[in-house]
Amino acid sequence: MKLTKYLPWVAGLLALVATLVLALPSAPVRGFDLNAFGGLPVLEGGRVKPLNSIARNSLLVIRSQQSFRFEGRTIQPDEWLADLLFRPQVADRQPVFVINDPDVLGLIGLQQTADRYFSFETIIPHIDAIERQAQAAHAIEAPKRDRFQNAIENLYSRLLLYHRLRNSIQLADSPGLALELAQMGNPEIAARQESMIQLAFFRPLPPLAGQGQDAWKNTGEAMRARSMGMLHPGLGLVAQIGGAYAIGDAQRFNQAVTDLRGQHLALQPGAQHQADSELRFNRAQPFYAGMVIYVLALLTLFTSWAWKRELLQPTAFALLLAGSVVHTIGLASRIILQGRPPVTNLYSSAVFVGWGAVILGIVLERIYRKGFGTAVAAAAGFGSLIVAHHLAADGDTMEMMRAVLDSNFWLATHVVAITIGYSGTFLAGAIAIGYTLRKQIVGESDPETTKALSGMAFGVICFALLFSFVGTVLGGIWADQSWGRFWGWDPKENGALLIVLWNAIILHARLAGYVRDRGIMAMAIFGNIITSLSWFGVNMLGVGLHSYGFMDKAFWALSGFIASQLILMALCLAPPMFWKRVLPAK
Amino acid sequence: MNLPTSLSQLGRRIWTTLASLQLTITCLALLIALVFLCTIAQVEMGTLGAVNTYMRSWIVWWAPKGYAFQVPVFPGGALVGFVLTLNLIVALIVRFTFSWKKAGLWIVHLGLILLVAGEFVSGSMQVEHRMIIREGETVNFLESYRDTELVIRDVSDPGYENVFTVPAARLAKGGVIPLKGSPLSVKVARYYKNSAMGPLAPEDHAPLATRGVGATVKVTELQVESAENKMNQTAALVEPMAGGQSYGVWLVSTMLGAPQSFIHEGRTYILSMRIQRQYLPYSLSLKKFRHDVYPGTDIPKNFSSLVQLQNPTRGEDREVLIYMNQPLRYQGRTFYQSGFEGDTITILQVVQNPGWLLPYISCVLVTIGLLLHFILSLRRSMARRSA
């Protein structure tokens, strides 16, 4: 009896504790404190971030994964970056380039096999052919490129990123930064400095006292400054870090990293603290953890329908709550780290849509207590975090805002309202899918639950209409303030309008009595299609002022989603007992 | 059945149809289809072209490939919007009964009428121009984005010019156009909305132009561009005439920079085709243009133009900083930071929209209405649940 009372809470707490454990710093690798190395702040993409973010995001862009196996060990991003910077001969053998396109593989003389990952060493002999093809593809407008052109262009840009990273602190063929610093008078070194300045992907040396906030320098620039008599105190330490790593001297490496950190704390304490916070956030991976907890909640709930309902349904809800706590902390951390409202790009919109749906689902569950709120909330949270996970493959998810979007007020009102509207429409769709599956697979047993479900769906649609309408109009006002027109029929605006119109149709059709429960549910599923088109589809068109979130890879994913929703609609509209008749009688 | 009864029956039927929810749903569904088509079409036609075809038209026309005629295939956005508004107004009249239960919804729908009205006003009355100013320069005119005009300047007097203009739209109609205030009139021999110029080959027909550059180049007509980022190169062959005397046929084009002139009764006239201008009773001088990027990137961080606004008619002379999301609203026009060229030239978008306030009012009304309705429904459902 006691157990049944406490098990849900224990399960929820366990999930939270597991998340915390995963967020702890990792052990040194071969004696090197790479964790501290990854926490060093650098300036890249217009903002200060830890080296760990550079390593993670770059590896994600190049390999689509944040770690990989090499010679029997799992290589984490920090180690990969350290190798790439200071032991390029090792990094170049690691299979970090993912290539899926058969034509691109053909171009570099490889056949499509199960192994899709290749090392820089394997690819580089074909760089001329790749470069030629990529340049040809580049000349074509992005929306008009075919699959091969996109793939080759993409591979080329990843090679370029790799090349820049590889030459960020010292040139890849360098005998070591320390040695180069010792030969400063040499005219050859001056020419090398220029290449370093051009190639460096990030700037590891913070502004000195009296310099502006943005005056971060890369090592090439610091070397040039030194030849003019201004020695950056960090330059020697960076050289020591590299030298020690290259020869495998872990003790000196760790000491130099500690010294450099001490120097940052003295020169730019804010930057070091910012990097530390972001490092913690990176390690914790709250959205990944949240995704796992949501799946657990969902599985627990499914089990509850077959077994020990009284025990497992509250457990599922407790897990959902734990997931939402992790999700919320992740969201709040992003807001604090970025100093921005929650939604700033496509990635963060996915995170926020999921969050909104989860919170709404929790509210529904508290009102109706049927387990359905938990189911749709966990499914929506999981689904949107998966989407976010895939969107993160484009690189830094906390990039700086373009001038036109740089308005915390409008980001906080228009964007948040629109995104909550997406959450609501998706949640209504999820409820409708739940209704459909229940009706067709389980068979209708309990009219009260059906009534509760249609009540939920209707309430959520009203909620979604409220937020999408207010969000759309606020967007119009923002557009009027910044572009000079309230409404421009831009694809993204049209997408938002479609959601508003569709939800309005559902409500009016219900009011007029043209549709009942089943019709509303089918329409709510169609709302999923409209929302997904508005959210992602319009970005694929590549026109308009909102095309900041352009993407083409997701085309097939979106088509698949739409097809699945159409099938579900058909199922929803099919006569009840449709499946029952097919199933053999018990 | 006598006629008056059947007429009144018909009237009543139309009236009920106009007030019906069926009509609302049909219109909303049509609108969804139109918005969807308009969005897809933007890839091919550009935003402006798609909006004009689908949203700002009464009927959507379709021309079968290779045929000159067009067939109406779908009601246009303007028609659907109009019917929807009518439907809303009639429904409000027919069904209006005041009760708290419905109050929120009435306010919402009133706001919606204003919103649609606002779009009609902007669609028909909004005028967009731009103003391009170089640092240190003072500009007192607006430029059109797409429209061009024929300009004939009398430059005979030192110190000032007499400027005569003919909008391209007037040239398109052809015929003889008298220039008010001058002894001249212009006969339009040919008009090209969009054109290309090239060298004259030996096998080509002799050009229509008899004087100036036009006599040595070949002009070909091009398809009209409707995409925003593509300019039409407008050209025309015009024949200035005065007192029964012709001064030859001249080619004018937005592509031609060198001045072409003729002399009539001792006065020198320069002919050119340029972007249409509109002069203002006030001027803006660009004191400083700033364009910052985030360090180490090309992501724009901030654009701003510091301008001096001078209006002698009102004795105004003040500094204004125009930047992203912070336009200058002045005498019915709004000046936005929209772009730049190099480090010293700012491009301001200038919009005149008498209906700009309507969406704001509508937004407030709808928000109040929805909130009111939401709160009232919540209270009712709470009451039901606790009962």
Side-chain angles (χ1 to χ4, degrees):
Chain A
M1 199 57 216
K2 272 239 164 92
L3 181 74
T4 43
K5 200 169 169 193
Y6 292 115
L7 184 86
W9 297 109
V10 172
L13 273 177
L14 268 180
L16 289 179
V17 169
T19 311
L20 272 181
V21 169
L22 286 175
L24 291 176
S26 50
V29 180
R30 293 178 277 123
F32 292 98
D33 187 359
L34 292 172
N35 198 52
F37 172 72
L40 293 173
V42 296
L43 184 92
E44 192 274 314
R47 70 182 186 93
V48 173
K49 55 178 93 166
L51 266 180
N52 176 269
S53 292
I54 304 257
R56 253 171 218 278
N57 295 332
S58 306
L59 194 54
L60 202 55
V61 167
I62 295 173
R63 191 181 150 109
S64 298
Q65 285 171 348
Q66 291 199 347
S67 62
F68 59 92
R69 300 282 298 172
F70 180 64
E71 293 180 345
R73 277 194 319 119
T74 299
I75 310 285
Q76 296 293 340
D78 293 325
E79 186 182 0
W80 170 70
L81 185 64
D83 281 340
L84 187 55
L85 291 173
F86 308 125
R87 297 199 303 178
Q89 66 284 4
V90 175
D92 289 353
R93 288 191 291 119
Q94 294 169 341
V96 290
F97 286 89
V98 59
I99 304 176
N100 289 318
D101 191 89
D103 295 350
V104 172
L105 286 173
L107 189 72
I108 55 177
L110 294 166
Q111 288 207 335
Q112 202 168 19
T113 55
D115 188 18
R116 304 172 298 145
Y117 301 100
F118 305 93
S119 68
F120 189 66
E121 226 173 48
T122 325
I123 301 173
I124 206 66
H126 308 279
I127 187 67
D128 288 341
I130 295 172
E131 191 161 16
R132 213 170 34 244
Q133 294 295 333
Q135 273 164 1
H138 195 76
I140 298 165
E141 278 177 71
K144 294 188 176 146
R145 285 180 207 147
D146 65 17
R147 196 201 64 218
F148 169 74
Q149 286 163 339
N150 273 322
I152 197 78
E153 164 93 28
N154 176 275
L155 175 63
Y156 186 67
S157 71
R158 288 185 290 149
L159 283 165
L160 194 64
L161 170 63
Y162 187 92
H163 179 60
R164 290 189 63 190
L165 280 170
R166 202 163 162 262
N167 294 287
S168 278
I169 291 205
Q170 58 193 32
L171 293 185
D173 61 358
S174 166
L177 189 60
L179 216 64
E180 297 203 39
L181 282 173
Q183 312 177 2
M184 280 296 288
N186 192 336
E188 216 178 286
I189 300 286
R192 291 170 67 84
Q193 272 169 28
E194 277 314 302
S195 317
M196 288 166 73
I197 293 172
Q198 294 303 319
L199 286 172
F201 183 67
F202 56 83
R203 306 176 184 202
L205 299 168
L208 300 172
Q211 290 177 329
Q213 278 295 303
D214 293 343
W216 288 69
K217 285 197 167 57
N218 58 41
T219 43
E221 287 164 340
M223 280 171 78
R224 189 169 60 188
R226 199 188 102 152
S227 63
M228 291 186 285
M230 291 193 301
L231 176 66
H232 194 292
L235 193 56
L237 287 173
V238 171
Q240 269 185 43
I241 293 176
Y245 191 83
I247 58 167
D249 186 343
Q251 205 183 348
R252 262 189 64 208
F253 175 88
N254 296 349
Q255 188 54 49
V257 169
T258 314
D259 292 348
L260 189 56
R261 184 184 158 84
Q263 204 176 80
H264 284 311
L265 283 171
L267 280 173
Q268 293 287 335
Q272 183 63 57
H273 293 142
Q274 168 87 14
D276 288 342
S277 315
E278 189 168 330
L279 179 67
R280 272 195 296 278
F281 175 79
N282 285 349
R283 269 203 312 260
Q285 298 200 52
F287 302 127
Y288 187 76
M291 195 159 86
V292 173
I293 302 176
Y294 288 143
V295 171
L296 288 178
L298 203 56
L299 291 177
T300 312
L301 190 81
F302 286 158
T303 317
S304 82
W305 285 335
W307 185 66
K308 293 228 182 221
R309 188 179 181 130
E310 328 62 66
L311 178 67
L312 290 183
Q313 194 172 307
T315 308
F317 185 65
L319 283 173
L320 176 71
L321 281 183
S324 74
V325 167
V326 175
H327 199 157
T328 309
I329 291 174
L331 201 62
S333 311
R334 268 186 68 93
I335 295 173
I336 294 166
L337 281 172
Q338 238 187 330
R340 292 275 179 202
V343 185
T344 52
N345 53 17
L346 210 53
Y347 167 82
S348 48
S349 73
V351 169
F352 192 74
V353 163
W355 184 79
V358 167
I359 300 299
L360 272 178
I362 290 176
V363 171
L364 287 181
E365 184 62 34
R366 294 305 296 163
I367 297 176
Y368 293 95
R369 292 173 192 275
K370 295 269 180 203
F372 266 100
T374 307
V376 289
F382 170 69
S384 62
L385 287 181
I386 281 269
V387 169
H389 186 72
H390 284 281
L391 290 173
D394 287 344
D396 191 358
T397 62
M398 287 192 252
E399 78 258 45
M400 304 309 286
M401 303 299 293
R402 303 192 153 268
V404 65
L405 302 172
D406 185 4
S407 155
N408 278 352
F409 173 74
W410 291 113
L411 284 171
T413 50
H414 156 63
V415 178
V416 166
I418 284 279
T419 318
I420 293 177
Y422 290 166
S423 300
T425 317
F426 275 133
L427 190 71
I431 293 171
I433 292 172
Y435 165 95
T436 305
L437 295 180
R438 181 172 164 275
K439 194 155 186 148
Q440 296 291 14
I441 295 173
V442 186
E444 195 167 1
S445 51
D446 169 17
E448 200 192 312
T449 310
T450 308
K451 199 163 158 259
L453 275 178
S454 72
M456 275 191 229
F458 175 69
V460 174
I461 289 169
C462 292
F463 177 88
L465 176 62
L466 170 75
F467 276 89
S468 24
F469 181 82
V470 170
T472 307
V473 175
L474 283 173
I477 291 178
W478 185 10
D480 187 51
Q481 300 274 332
S482 66
W483 296 322
R485 83 285 183 292
F486 176 78
W487 194 258
W489 303 102
D490 176 278
K492 200 80 189 173
E493 295 168 352
N494 289 354
L497 179 63
L498 285 178
I499 298 181
V500 172
L501 288 174
W502 183 248
N503 283 326
I505 287 190
I506 301 182
L507 295 190
H508 285 94
R510 181 179 181 270
L511 182 68
Y514 298 140
V515 287
R516 302 252 172 128
D517 289 349
R518 201 144 56 104
I520 289 175
M521 292 298 185
M523 288 174 99
I525 299 178
F526 193 69
N528 280 347
I529 297 181
I530 292 204
T531 313
S532 65
L533 281 177
S534 159
W535 193 8
F536 296 112
V538 292
N539 292 341
M540 293 173 193
L541 292 174
V543 271
L545 293 157
H546 285 84
S547 53
Y548 49 82
F550 178 76
M551 37 176 249
D552 46 357
K553 280 173 273 177
F555 177 76
W556 292 108
L558 184 63
S559 308
F561 176 77
I562 291 176
S564 72
Q565 301 303 299
L566 287 174
I567 293 170
L568 283 166
M569 272 178 78
L571 261 182
C572 180
L573 292 173
M577 308 300 290
F578 177 71
W579 283 107
K580 278 272 166 170
R581 244 175 271 156
V582 186
L583 288 173
K586 267 194 180 167
Chain B
M1 195 189 287
N2 56 14
L3 199 62
T5 358
S6 72
L7 259 185
S8 80
Q9 266 176 351
L10 184 70
R12 197 168 303 144
R13 247 173 93 182
I14 291 175
W15 188 248
T16 3
T17 312
L18 271 180
S20 71
L21 272 171
Q22 245 161 323
L23 187 64
T24 315
I25 293 168
T26 314
C27 284
L28 287 176
L30 287 174
L31 214 49
I32 284 193
L34 280 170
V35 171
F36 184 76
L37 290 172
C38 168
T39 311
I40 298 294
Q42 292 189 14
V43 178
E44 290 296 323
M45 306 167 81
T47 306
L48 191 68
V51 169
N52 285 337
T53 308
Y54 291 99
M55 305 314 304
R56 300 231 162 108
S57 60
W58 292 87
I59 300 282
V60 178
W61 296 89
W62 173 69
K65 274 229 165 75
Y67 292 89
F69 65 89
Q70 291 187 316
V71 274
V73 281
F74 213 77
L79 182 61
V80 176
F82 178 75
V83 174
L84 194 60
T85 316
L86 202 64
N87 171 238
L88 193 50
I89 294 170
V90 176
L92 279 178
I93 296 168
V94 172
R95 300 213 204 101
F96 189 86
T97 47
F98 189 83
S99 70
W100 274 112
K101 202 177 145 188
K102 291 268 177 72
L105 290 181
W106 290 126
I107 298 176
V108 169
H109 287 92
L110 214 61
L112 288 178
I113 294 178
L114 272 187
L115 195 64
V116 179
E119 182 52 24
F120 267 98
V121 172
S122 338
S124 54
M125 297 168 81
Q126 175 163 318
V127 190
E128 290 180 17
H129 283 104
R130 67 182 164 186
M131 193 180 224
I132 302 174
I133 326 175
R134 191 183 289 273
E135 236 169 52
E137 267 181 6
T138 301
V139 173
N140 67 339
F141 59 85
L142 307 175
E143 284 190 0
S144 163
Y145 272 96
R146 313 185 60 83
D147 296 336
T148 47
E149 61 189 2
L150 168 69
V151 188
I152 298 181
R153 290 181 295 155
D154 174 358
V155 292
S156 323
D157 300 297
Y160 74 95
E161 294 181 351
N162 270 326
V163 180
F164 308 100
T165 60
V166 182
R170 175 65 193 86
L171 292 178
K173 289 180 189 155
V176 178
I177 307 158
L179 297 182
K180 255 190 207 155
S182 87
L184 301 175
S185 55
V186 174
K187 187 176 169 193
V188 185
R190 185 79 204 268
Y191 172 77
Y192 307 87
K193 173 102 190 193
N194 192 16
S195 63
M197 271 193 300
L200 200 61
E203 67 272 17
D204 288 328
H205 293 290
L208 282 171
T210 56
R211 305 272 312 266
V213 197
T216 57
V217 296
K218 179 178 151 186
V219 184
T220 30
E221 182 143 31
L222 293 181
Q223 187 146 23
V224 176
E225 293 283 358
S226 62
E228 281 85 279
N229 51 0
K230 296 198 175 133
M231 269 299 290
N232 284 312
Q233 299 293 356
T234 312
L237 289 154
V238 293
E239 185 179 2
M241 294 185 298
Q245 189 195 347
S246 163
Y247 286 94
V249 179
W250 300 75
L251 172 70
V252 286
S253 160
T254 45
M255 279 177 289
L256 291 177
Q260 309 184 81
S261 60
F262 64 93
I263 298 172
H264 167 69
E265 292 183 351
R267 301 193 78 85
T268 308
Y269 295 91
I270 298 182
L271 285 161
S272 61
M273 189 75 134
R274 71 175 180 200
I275 298 289
Q276 198 170 358
R277 287 182 182 180
Q278 188 180 352
Y279 284 86
L280 301 170
Y282 51 90
S283 68
L284 296 183
S285 323
L286 182 62
K287 300 177 85 170
K288 179 81 198 139
F289 174 69
R290 280 182 66 96
H291 164 219
D292 306 327
V293 294
Y294 290 104
T297 67
D298 350 298
I299 305 175
K301 185 179 183 181
N302 181 38
F303 308 101
S304 64
S305 302
L306 183 65
V307 295
Q308 188 77 23
L309 168 67
Q310 286 172 305
N311 187 348
T313 57
R314 295 182 13 169
E316 256 177 303
D317 190 354
R318 60 185 164 107
E319 226 173 51
V320 184
L321 183 66
I322 300 173
Y323 57 100
M324 281 289 153
N325 300 324
Q326 208 58 53
L328 159 70
R329 291 192 194 274
Y330 188 71
Q331 296 205 337
R333 287 197 174 81
T334 316
F335 295 75
Y336 302 86
Q337 183 66 56
S338 94
F340 62 96
E341 264 168 42
D343 286 335
T344 55
I345 300 175
T346 188
I347 303 175
L348 301 175
Q349 158 143 303
V350 186
V351 179
Q352 198 176 9
N353 179 6
W356 75 274
L357 210 55
L358 287 176
Y360 288 76
I361 301 169
S362 154
C363 175
V364 172
L365 279 180
V366 172
T367 311
I368 292 173
L370 283 174
L371 279 178
L372 186 65
H373 186 70
F374 193 67
I375 292 167
L376 292 175
S377 316
L378 200 70
R379 261 182 51 190
R380 273 203 309 280
S381 99
M382 286 297 177
R384 258 205 310 276
R385 289 184 71 84
S386 59

